[in-house]
Every structure is written in structure tokens, then in C-alpha cells.
Amino acid sequence: MSISKIWLSSPHLGGAEQKYVQEAFNTNWIAPLGPNVDGFELDLTSYLTQPIFVSALSSGTAAIHLGLILLGVTKNDEVLVQTHTHNASVNPILYQDATPVFIDSELETWNLCPIALEKAIKDRIKKGKKPKAIIAVHLYGMPYQIEVIRAIADQYEIPILEDSAEALGSSYKGQKCGTFGDIGVLSFNGNKIITTSGGGAIVTKTVAQKEKAIFYATQARDQAPHYQHSEIGYNYRMSNICAGIGRGQMEVLVEHVALRRAMHDFYVNLFNAIQGVTVFSTPNDDYFSNYWLSTILIDPLKTNGINRETLRLALEAENIESRPLWKPMHLQPVFEKYPYYGNLVAETLFENGLCLPSGSNLNDEERERIAEVVKRVFG
Ligand SMILES: *Cc1c(COP(=O)(O)O)cnc(C)c1O
């Protein structure tokens, strides 16, 4: 195909990244530690503007895994997790030989449904086991119902692991996502709002937790001149090269959030006059979304049968990437044997929802190509 591909979300560099990477070369800090790692952690800490501690890791998945370890999740524990998510929210539960218990979404934020969550907690307790943690996700950058979920977690004294992999730059009542959980998680994968080519971070409340996270992330070395180990460790620290990219990306984060939000506005205008299509938007002004991905729901009963596959295939024919919303985890072959509490919301989202090109680096010509397909499909 001769026309260039329009991606859902591709890396968007600001320019300063290479300067920090060059510094790493100049000073021979080519290792999973160094001034860029420290600098990137400081940049993130000051951006999040809360009394928190950030540790840079090799991926968001590693951060979720270490988060579960810090919360004491071990073999046969149960962990509540929203079903409408990336599988990386769930896999680390299995790394710990624990059991995921899947929770449906609500329709305002598409994240944890408080009713299903509380029902699950009560039922798991009745069956003999209180869940050890709640993994709450800000999907597509949309904050979950922060206060309601926190109230339930506190009532039953279950800690929250906040999966903010998609929500750096989002906030709720002015407080940044990534700082609401007992532990928070960020990702800097290539498709996220900022990238380090691959990477993540764990956000903790105390310096002791940060030290513990780094201990596990660097092979669990005890204090000794030789290599001494009394626990199992991991090789999860971020490299100083990747952290250099991260420092450069932090310089453009605010601008990139604004550009993603402009993409969302573009879709709101584009679909404004089209019956049966809704652009997913914040429920009220307490919520601020980075709109990492712009997403829509199509109701085929109101569009003369045009559904998300009609649009997806039409976009694909023009070399434009789009993707159905997350297929619920409790429907995935690898997870279908685990408990699930819900009411078909995540199933409906998967059936009718589509993620659209959302990158901060899309230009007018690309937006025009997208608009042409949309206008043609919906006549
Ligand atoms: C990307 C993502 C992760 C995993 O982050 P990686 O850095 O790719 O390991 C976890 N949870 C969600 C919701 C994600 O989107």
C-alpha cells in the first residue's frame, strides 16, 4: 500500500531525548542505574506533586508484579481485578500463583463497577477467603470512580494497586493519577502517552517501600560485600539509556496530553452529527482524562446496522489502524476458569466499542483521511 499507515498510538519524540542518551554514553553510564534513572524518577515525582516515591523499572508489568509482592500477595491469595483491561493487569497475579477474580465495569468510566466489586468481596469472604488486593485500572486514561472505590477498599481493608499505565497526565479533582492507590503503576511502553522505548515505574507512599521495590528489582541482594540472598529477586530496574529517553519525554508530557485531548475534541466534532455513535468522554469536571486513546461506542440499532467492524474494516482498507476495545479477561481462554462478577457491561463494550487513532503526532492531513472514511461509512 502506498499511503502511509496511521497508527493508533505511536512514539512521539520531543527532541531532548538524544541529549540525555548521549550524556549516558559520554559518561559511560550504560547500566540499569545512573544519573538518568535518578533524574527521571525526580521528574516523575515532581510531576505527580504528591508525597510519593517513584522507582523506574523495566516495564509496567514488572511494576504490577512488584506491587503485588509489596502488598504481600502470595500463593492461593485472591486478587480482584477489572475484567475490561490489558492482560498485563492480570498476568502478574498468576506469576505469584494467586487467583484473579474478575470484576465488571460501569458505564460512566468503563472501570471497576462498585456494585460488582462489593458483591464479589462479600461473596469471596463468605466462601472463606478475603481478597488480598484490588487492581483498579484507569483505562484509556479515564480515572476510575476514585472515591467510591476507595470507600469500598477502606471498608473491607483491602489495599488498592492502581494500574495507571494508560493514565499518566490524567487527574481526579486535581490530583494526578498514579497517586491514588496504596501502590501505583506507570508504563512507558512504545504506545503509551510517553515512552522510554519500554519501561515502567512503581509509585509508593514511603521511602521504605521504594527501597524494598528496588531491592526486589535488583536481584534481592542482602547487605554484604559478596552476593548474599535470603529472598527471590528479579531483574526489573530501568536502564540509564531508557531513562534518558524518559527525561526527554517528560519535557513534552504536558504538551502531548494537550494534543491527545485535541484528538478527542476532533472526534467529538466529527461524530457530533452522526446518530448512534458516542465518543467516550469524562462524566463530569471532577475527571480530567489524558485521552490516551480516543474511543467510541456504536449502537448498530441506530446506525442502520453499521457496527464497529464495518468502520474498522473501512479504516483498515485505507491503511488506518483502529482496534476493538479490550476483550474482557474472563472471556480469554487462559483466564476463563477464574471467578467473575458482573452484568455483561464489559462484553457490550467489547462488542460495540472501537479505539481510534489518537497519537499526539497526527497531522491535519491524517485527520482528514480519518474524517473521509467516517463520513463515507456513515453516509
Ligand atoms: C501497557 C499496560 C500495562 C503494561 O505495561 P508495560 O509497560 O507494557 O509492561 C499494564 N496495564 C495496562 C492497563 C496497560 O495498558
Side-chain angles (χ1 to χ4, degrees):
M1 200 170 300
S2 58
I3 43 170
S4 64
K5 175 140 182 165
I6 299 178
W7 300 94
L8 215 52
S9 178
S10 69
H12 185 192
L13 297 176
E17 293 84 1
Q18 279 183 317
K19 178 188 77 183
Y20 293 108
V21 171
Q22 189 59 49
E23 258 169 43
F25 276 81
N26 294 347
T27 53
N28 205 33
W29 281 105
I30 315 294
L33 79 167
N36 281 336
V37 175
D38 298 340
F40 186 40
E41 287 177 350
L42 274 176
D43 290 348
L44 286 164
T45 308
S46 64
Y47 178 77
L48 294 173
T49 60
Q50 288 289 311
I52 45 87
F53 298 85
V54 177
S55 311
L57 301 174
S58 54
S59 71
T61 311
I64 294 173
H65 188 195
L66 291 188
L68 291 173
I69 292 172
L70 291 184
L71 294 176
V73 172
T74 58
K75 196 173 163 74
N76 297 328
D77 281 339
E78 293 189 349
V79 176
L80 304 162
V81 58
Q82 76 192 51
T83 187
H84 182 53
T85 188
H86 186 296
N87 69 337
S89 308
V90 184
N91 285 333
I93 301 171
L94 280 302
Y95 302 168
Q96 287 303 97
D97 271 330
T99 303
V101 174
F102 292 110
I103 309 295
D104 205 0
S105 293
E106 36 78 9
L107 280 167
E108 278 202 341
T109 74
W110 296 2
N111 295 312
L112 276 180
C113 169
I115 297 165
L117 178 67
E118 187 160 23
K119 194 170 160 211
I121 294 172
K122 284 182 173 162
D123 193 51
R124 300 324 289 174
I125 292 173
K126 204 170 87 194
K127 288 188 162 73
K129 200 174 273 180
K130 187 172 120 176
K132 200 70 183 263
I134 298 166
I135 300 181
V137 191
H138 308 293
L139 225 47
Y140 307 117
M142 180 69 74
Y144 59 78
Q145 293 186 1
I146 302 283
E147 286 164 297
V148 188
I149 300 301
R150 173 48 74 190
I152 294 171
D154 286 353
Q155 186 187 342
Y156 293 92
E157 299 183 320
I158 305 171
I160 296 176
L161 180 56
E162 178 194 5
D163 182 347
S164 192
E166 301 179 0
L168 181 62
S170 298
S171 54
Y172 178 77
K173 290 188 173 173
Q175 183 178 333
K176 295 277 191 331
C177 288
T179 66
F180 290 104
D182 296 271
I183 287 180
V185 166
L186 303 171
S187 167
F188 315 111
N189 204 339
N191 60 353
K192 296 288 155 65
I193 191 134
I194 63 165
T195 182
T196 59
S197 72
I202 185 166
V203 181
T204 50
K205 300 280 188 231
T206 67
V207 71
Q209 283 175 313
K210 176 180 163 113
E211 282 165 3
K212 202 76 194 173
I214 292 174
F215 168 78
Y216 286 120
T218 53
Q219 310 288 22
R221 274 189 75 188
D222 297 339
Q223 291 283 349
H226 57 275
Y227 276 72
Q228 172 83 14
H229 307 282
S230 42
E231 286 191 74
I232 298 295
Y234 303 87
N235 184 5
Y236 278 172
R237 201 71 163 114
M238 179 178 280
S239 106
N240 195 54
I241 301 288
C242 295
I245 303 173
R247 285 179 91 179
Q249 289 272 276
M250 284 306 287
E251 295 184 11
V252 289
L253 173 58
V254 170
E255 183 189 327
H256 287 191
V257 170
L259 289 165
R260 296 254 175 184
R261 288 173 54 81
M263 280 308 296
H264 174 264
D265 288 344
F266 160 74
Y267 287 116
V268 169
N269 289 328
L270 180 60
F271 287 104
N272 190 30
I274 298 173
Q275 278 289 314
V277 182
T278 37
V279 179
F280 182 45
S281 301
T282 45
N284 60 55
D285 288 346
D286 289 340
Y287 292 82
F288 181 91
S289 175
N290 66 8
Y291 290 120
W292 169 60
L293 292 187
S294 287
T295 55
I296 54 170
L297 282 181
I298 302 179
D299 181 352
L301 297 175
K302 296 183 186 157
T303 57
N304 292 322
I306 294 162
N307 60 26
R308 66 118 156 110
E309 268 312 273
T310 326
L311 180 57
R312 193 186 68 78
L313 291 169
L315 289 165
E316 187 174 82
E318 299 297 329
N319 212 17
I320 300 169
E321 185 182 32
S322 68
R323 192 176 298 143
L325 299 185
W326 301 117
K327 178 172 177 178
M329 289 299 125
H330 72 278
L331 301 182
Q332 302 285 353
V334 67
F335 297 133
E336 65 191 7
K337 62 176 176 288
Y338 298 110
Y340 160 71
Y341 294 82
N343 210 6
L344 294 177
V345 173
E347 280 92 336
T348 310
L349 292 174
F350 173 56
E351 194 158 302
N352 295 327
L354 198 64
C355 304
L356 298 169
S358 308
S360 44
N361 50 2
L362 296 178
N363 59 35
D364 283 342
E365 192 190 321
E366 290 168 319
R367 274 184 284 275
E368 195 43 48
R369 275 173 60 195
I370 296 166
E372 264 172 36
V373 176
V374 167
K375 285 174 185 159
R376 176 154 45 78
V377 166
F378 290 95

